[in-house]
Amino acid sequence: LPGDAASPVMESENGKLYFCDGYEIMVQTMEAGDLNSTLESLTGYTKDSLTVIETMTDDVRRYECVWTAAGEAGDQVGRAVIMDDGSYHYCVSVMAHALESGSLQETWQELFTSFKIQS
């Protein structure tokens, strides 16, 4: 996680929410098998409503998407990466105010590039 990630502000059985400087990070683990359900849980949108980029590395499928949403404090931009090893979906998603999201792209790119499944 980036250095500005605070301790998790919320934890559940399958995930943790972190507040950072101007954005939030959600780290979750979900059952594999239903990508549409995972995407809808992360983004609020179905797979058919998103452009999902799929790649494959070392027997792990990687899915990436970006979405926008209206929030209480204005428009928001989100980005998610899902790693699918066949048993679980390992997910990292970020969300920020739309006006601030551009300045966060480098930080988000570092986060998503470093996101890997350890054997």
Side-chain angles (χ1 to χ4, degrees), residues 14-25:
N14 68 345
K16 295 180 181 181
L17 175 66
Y18 298 87
F19 286 145
C20 300
D21 188 20
Y23 63 103
E24 60 187 51
I25 300 172

Side-chain angles (χ1 to χ4, degrees), residues 16-94:
K16 295 180 181 181
L17 175 66
Y18 298 87
F19 286 145
C20 300
D21 188 20
Y23 63 103
E24 60 187 51
I25 300 172
M26 185 67 149
V27 179
Q28 297 173 273
T29 304
M30 301 179 194
E31 294 288 326
D34 187 352
L35 179 61
N36 190 60
S37 176
T38 298
L39 285 166
E40 195 164 3
S41 176
L42 292 173
T43 69
Y45 295 98
T46 63
K47 185 178 179 206
D48 293 338
S49 301
L50 297 166
T51 299
V52 180
I53 298 170
E54 178 182 347
T55 56
M56 183 89 168
T57 306
D58 299 326
D59 295 329
V60 175
R61 292 190 186 284
R62 181 182 173 105
Y63 303 95
E64 296 188 49
C65 65
V66 176
W67 71 97
T68 60
E72 291 178 12
D75 291 339
Q76 306 237 330
V77 172
R79 183 174 172 188
V81 170
I82 301 164
M83 305 284 267
D84 181 353
D85 68 357
S87 297
Y88 294 98
H89 287 159
Y90 301 95
C91 313
V92 172
S93 59
V94 294

